[in-house]
Amino acid sequence: MKLKEIPQMTNNESQKSYRHWIIGILLLLIPFTVAVYAYWPQYYSFTTTGEIVPMEEIDVNGSVNFVYVQEGVTRNRYEKYSVGLRDSEAEFTKVDSSAEDDLSAMLDFEEDRRNETIHYAVDSASEVISSPIEQDRRDERLQQLIEETSNYYGDSIGLMLGIGLVEEAMQEDFSQDGTIIIAGTGTLEEDHTVGSVGAIRDKLRTAEAAGTDIFFVPKDKETFMYPGLSNEQEAELASKELDLKLQLVPVATLEEAISYLRQLPNPYIRSVNQP
Amino acid sequence: MKLKSETLSNVLKLLLWVLVGLACADLVSSIVYTASLDAFTAYIYDFYGFIEIVSSVLYYIAAVVYLIWIYCVHLDMNTLFPSFARSPGKSLACILIPVYNLFGIPSIYRMIGRWYLEDTGGAKKEGRWICSLALPLLLFMMLSNGLGRMVNQADELSGTMLLILSFVTLILYMIFLILCLQVSRGLHIARLEVLSRQSTAVNADDFEASPAGQPTATHQL
């Protein structure tokens, strides 16, 4: 009689039946470890280039442009990598975990500063053209501009908004029918002076990439009250280092910027028409 | 007779099950992204990023395991079916050589499926599954690659595109999983059939060797 073989698992076979679980789990640990590493909290603040925006986009009938740059905080290596992938020239600075709260607090503050500079730009432009507008119309215009710029933070729009509003009121076209790209940055204060701003280097890179011909910066070599380089000095340094082609124009007041634009030769030829 | 691909089949099945699970999570995330960007940003974004990283790394690990598995499957096929016409090296060439793999990848599964259909008694159902999934596998691989490139190059991520990509990826992983299950099941059945044939042949030899014409099993315990 043939005895039926009873399949019995030897020690060796038993080990083999667990082998695929061990290999599988070890292999699965690799991607999970990578993901945990990528998501481990590590904070960086970053700045990177943005775009130049025509005044028409915020419903101002002017030919000049303002510049915005992108700033933010990444919370882990994955976010840092994603930002770096989107913009290889983004600059990161390691910060602590409070940076995220600091950023949102700063955004609230910057929103107030933006509204304030818009307020000054509307008033300054009205005074420059010597044509005061009625209080109701002024308030309405102010509210409309605040709504139109609600996607942007910060007060560096002031100077360019002031120039745009002067163009609109005087029906002037400083861009000579779009042949000159004029952009710039700087706040506008109550006394029409142009105040210092941040991220000058990135703003210059943005403007250069957009083919800007003339770029206004605050003339603040004498008045800059923070540690480090003033906007004017930083812009001159960046212009040399980045070998920028745009014409850098430091201005102290809205009137100075308007005068500069009014005396531009027509036609304007880049690199020939240096002031 | 032990199947060389057995352990790897089990490992690959495990990895593919996890990939299918992750693809389901990815699909749910894409649905939320398409329905409401705000809800996605508030509740899903972090989870989605984590899933993306795990899926991406696991995909490459599974790809390496898959290549080794295909090699071992062909070693087993050559052992179980001596007339099986494709060597393990050639099967890898079918997958890895660009352009040629458009023909090569479906041909691998068609050949395995056909052998199950024609040379086994119990693995015909598996053979039919494998043959029928060979072409969809290629189509979904091409679709997934094309859509993946479009999504990566797009300036603005379209919700619909992301949703379609997630769906195609899920289907692709499911096809891979079904193929892995069917191929390994077919190999198991084929192995049992070969063992059974060998056992029958030994019994027949014993029967013929009996001096009194009676079947005995003197040397079996």
Side-chain angles (χ1 to χ4, degrees):
Chain A
M1 191 175 90
K2 182 182 175 182
L3 292 177
K4 199 175 181 182
E5 278 183 10
I6 300 167
Q8 286 203 329
M9 222 179 245
T10 62
N11 265 353
N12 193 28
E13 281 170 331
S14 170
Q15 277 174 3
K16 279 181 182 172
S17 74
Y18 285 110
R19 192 199 280 167
H20 70 272
W21 282 107
I22 295 165
I23 297 172
I25 288 166
L26 284 175
L27 289 176
L28 283 173
L29 272 176
I30 298 171
F32 278 97
T33 309
V34 172
V36 168
Y37 175 79
Y39 261 77
W40 199 259
Q42 199 174 54
Y43 291 83
Y44 285 89
S45 69
F46 70 89
T47 58
T48 184
T49 53
E51 282 175 12
I52 69 166
V53 184
M55 278 296 147
E56 283 139 357
E57 270 197 26
I58 55 166
D59 215 15
V60 174
N61 192 17
S63 68
V64 295
N65 305 271
F66 69 92
V67 185
Y68 76 85
V69 295
Q70 300 180 76
E71 290 179 330
V73 173
T74 59
R75 294 169 299 172
N76 50 52
R77 290 181 183 92
Y78 174 67
E79 287 183 356
K80 183 173 177 255
Y81 171 76
S82 303
V83 171
L85 202 66
R86 218 171 45 219
D87 183 354
S88 57
E89 291 184 13
E91 284 171 14
F92 295 90
T93 314
K94 199 166 183 181
V95 290
D96 59 31
S97 59
S98 64
E100 209 177 354
D101 295 333
D102 292 348
L103 180 72
S104 61
M106 191 191 81
L107 290 181
D108 290 340
F109 174 70
E110 294 284 316
E111 202 174 322
D112 293 340
R113 288 285 296 138
R114 182 200 63 210
N115 296 347
E116 197 177 67
T117 205
I118 291 173
H119 175 121
Y120 293 145
V122 170
D123 289 348
S124 301
S126 159
E127 285 159 20
V128 165
I129 59 173
S130 311
S131 158
I133 51 172
E134 292 165 23
Q135 187 67 28
D136 286 352
R137 272 191 58 206
R138 175 195 167 276
D139 291 347
E140 194 185 320
R141 185 71 167 133
L142 196 60
Q143 199 51 45
Q144 183 207 357
L145 287 169
I146 287 170
E147 278 168 26
E148 292 286 349
T149 54
S150 60
N151 288 335
Y152 306 99
Y153 293 89
D155 51 3
S156 63
I157 193 175
L159 170 66
M160 298 319 288
L161 179 60
I163 298 172
L165 289 169
V166 169
E167 277 189 297
E168 185 180 72
M170 304 297 287
Q171 295 186 329
E172 284 181 275
D173 177 10
F174 295 137
S175 74
Q176 295 177 12
D177 219 10
T179 54
I180 317 173
I181 301 176
I182 303 160
T185 187
T187 70
L188 206 53
E189 306 301 327
E190 200 172 3
D191 57 358
H192 307 190
T193 54
V194 180
S196 309
V197 293
I200 286 286
R201 195 182 175 88
D202 285 323
K203 284 175 182 165
L204 281 167
R205 277 170 51 209
T206 303
E208 178 79 359
T212 302
D213 296 293
I214 294 167
F215 192 86
F216 289 113
V217 290
K219 192 189 272 182
D220 60 353
K221 219 179 266 184
E222 311 294 326
T223 56
F224 194 71
M225 52 184 150
Y226 305 101
L229 295 176
S230 68
N231 284 180
E232 192 180 348
Q233 289 167 317
E234 193 182 344
E236 282 165 4
L237 187 70
S239 181
K240 273 182 203 153
E241 282 178 2
L242 302 171
D243 192 23
L244 303 182
K245 305 285 180 292
L246 55 79
Q247 178 63 45
L248 209 57
V249 184
V251 287
T253 61
L254 175 63
E255 287 84 348
E256 194 180 337
I258 300 285
S259 309
Y260 174 84
L261 290 170
R262 282 188 178 144
Q263 56 83 45
L264 281 178
N266 194 351
Y268 176 87
I269 301 165
R270 200 191 241 213
S271 81
V272 174
N273 297 305
Q274 305 280 327
Chain B
M1 184 196 287
K2 175 100 175 74
L3 290 175
K4 290 186 175 66
S5 63
E6 194 176 335
T7 305
L8 273 176
S9 291
N10 291 331
V11 171
L12 188 61
K13 274 182 241 171
L14 181 64
L15 299 184
L16 286 170
W17 271 117
V18 176
L19 270 176
V20 167
L22 291 169
C24 285
D26 183 71
L27 182 63
V28 171
S29 304
S30 302
I31 291 169
V32 176
Y33 181 89
T34 312
S36 163
L37 189 59
D38 289 339
F40 177 85
T41 313
Y43 307 111
I44 306 280
Y45 174 73
D46 287 340
F47 167 75
Y48 179 75
F50 194 87
I51 295 288
E52 283 293 295
I53 295 173
V54 175
S55 304
S56 309
V57 179
L58 188 57
Y59 172 82
Y60 288 105
I61 292 171
V64 174
V65 173
Y66 171 78
L67 289 174
I68 305 170
W69 174 74
I70 273 287
Y71 187 88
C72 293
V73 163
H74 281 76
L75 281 178
D76 289 334
M77 291 296 285
N78 282 301
T79 312
L80 294 170
F81 309 105
S83 56
F84 188 73
R86 185 163 283 165
S87 68
K90 196 176 173 192
S91 72
L92 286 186
C94 282
I95 294 172
L96 295 173
I97 296 173
V99 184
Y100 176 62
N101 60 11
L102 294 177
F103 158 79
I105 292 171
S107 85
I108 285 176
Y109 291 103
R110 272 217 203 94
M111 189 172 274
I112 294 173
R114 218 168 44 234
W115 242 264
Y116 284 176
L117 277 169
E118 291 168 6
D119 275 42
T120 67
K124 293 195 188 300
K125 195 180 88 181
E126 284 76 11
R128 270 193 295 276
W129 265 103
I130 294 166
C131 284
S132 65
L133 285 175
L135 201 60
L137 173 70
L138 181 70
L139 286 175
F140 275 89
M141 278 175 84
M142 287 166 70
L143 251 178
S144 171
N145 279 339
L147 286 169
R149 279 206 191 109
M150 280 170 76
V151 166
N152 285 337
Q153 285 168 2
D155 288 335
E156 273 189 33
L157 204 52
S158 146
T160 317
M161 188 69 84
L162 200 67
L163 190 63
I164 296 170
L165 176 63
S166 300
F167 185 69
V168 168
T169 307
L170 174 62
I171 300 286
L172 179 66
Y173 290 159
M174 283 170 78
I175 292 175
F176 267 117
L177 178 61
I178 294 169
L179 281 170
C180 178
L181 288 167
Q182 300 298 342
V183 168
S184 65
R185 201 176 290 163
L187 277 176
H188 188 67
I189 294 167
R191 172 178 159 267
L192 288 178
E193 286 181 2
V194 169
L195 285 175
S196 162
R197 275 201 294 273
Q198 284 173 353
S199 169
T200 311
V202 169
N203 283 347
D205 288 348
D206 288 345
F207 183 81
E208 281 166 15
S210 171
Q214 295 294 316
T216 53
T218 50
H219 52 273
Q220 288 186 23
L221 187 65

